[in-house]
Amino acid sequence: MKKITIENQEVVNHLEALGYEAAARKELLSHMAQAGVLPGDPAFQAYHKEYEECFARYELAKAGLERQYVQPLAPEGVRLSWRLDYSTRELTVQGVD
């Protein structure tokens, strides 16, 4: 396991915000479904589209962080798992000494 401190607070804040944004929209969709709003309803479709866009931005930001900090540590062809602690900016990469 290797631990890296991400010095750029803006990168960490951006990733955290995107994660919260996607999670909030997912939660809203869940509440709508529990309330009986059907997937074909225009409001549900609009929020689902927003969720998809937020989730895509979040995944792209995660991929960028992974490209910059995680992939250089990985042996050829190996995908490593990682976790970022937003409060400490500490990136923990599993499978690396």
Side-chain angles (χ1 to χ4, degrees), residues 22-34 43-44 47 50:
R25 281 174 173 71
K26 183 177 179 180
E27 184 71 21
L28 176 61
L29 288 169
S30 176
H31 283 295
M32 289 177 79
Q34 289 174 2
F44 189 94
Y47 282 117
E50 284 183 16

Side-chain angles (χ1 to χ4, degrees), residues 7-8 27-28 36-37 45 47 50 55 60 62 74-75 85 87:
E7 296 300 326
N8 189 334
E27 184 71 21
L28 176 61
V37 179
Q45 289 179 354
Y47 282 117
E50 284 183 16
F55 185 75
L60 284 172
K62 282 178 26 182
D85 183 324
S87 63

Side-chain angles (χ1 to χ4, degrees), residues 1-4 65 70 81-86 88-94:
M1 173 174 35
K2 182 164 181 81
K3 295 187 181 217
I4 302 165
L65 184 91
V70 179
S81 63
W82 57 274
R83 183 182 61 78
L84 177 60
D85 183 324
Y86 299 124
T88 64
R89 300 185 329 267
E90 188 172 84
L91 177 69
T92 303
V93 182
Q94 299 294 326

Side-chain angles (χ1 to χ4, degrees), residues 61-72:
K62 282 178 26 182
L65 184 91
E66 188 172 331
R67 252 189 324 278
Q68 184 174 357
Y69 294 99
V70 179
Q71 286 177 349

Side-chain angles (χ1 to χ4, degrees), residues 6-23 53-65 68 82 84-87 89:
I6 307 297
E7 296 300 326
N8 189 334
Q9 183 70 51
E10 288 180 26
V11 168
V12 174
N13 290 348
H14 180 67
L15 190 61
E16 182 179 26
L18 290 173
Y20 284 143
E21 191 175 353
E53 292 167 356
C54 290
F55 185 75
R57 286 193 305 269
Y58 178 53
E59 288 298 311
L60 284 172
K62 282 178 26 182
L65 184 91
Q68 184 174 357
W82 57 274
L84 177 60
D85 183 324
Y86 299 124
S87 63
R89 300 185 329 267

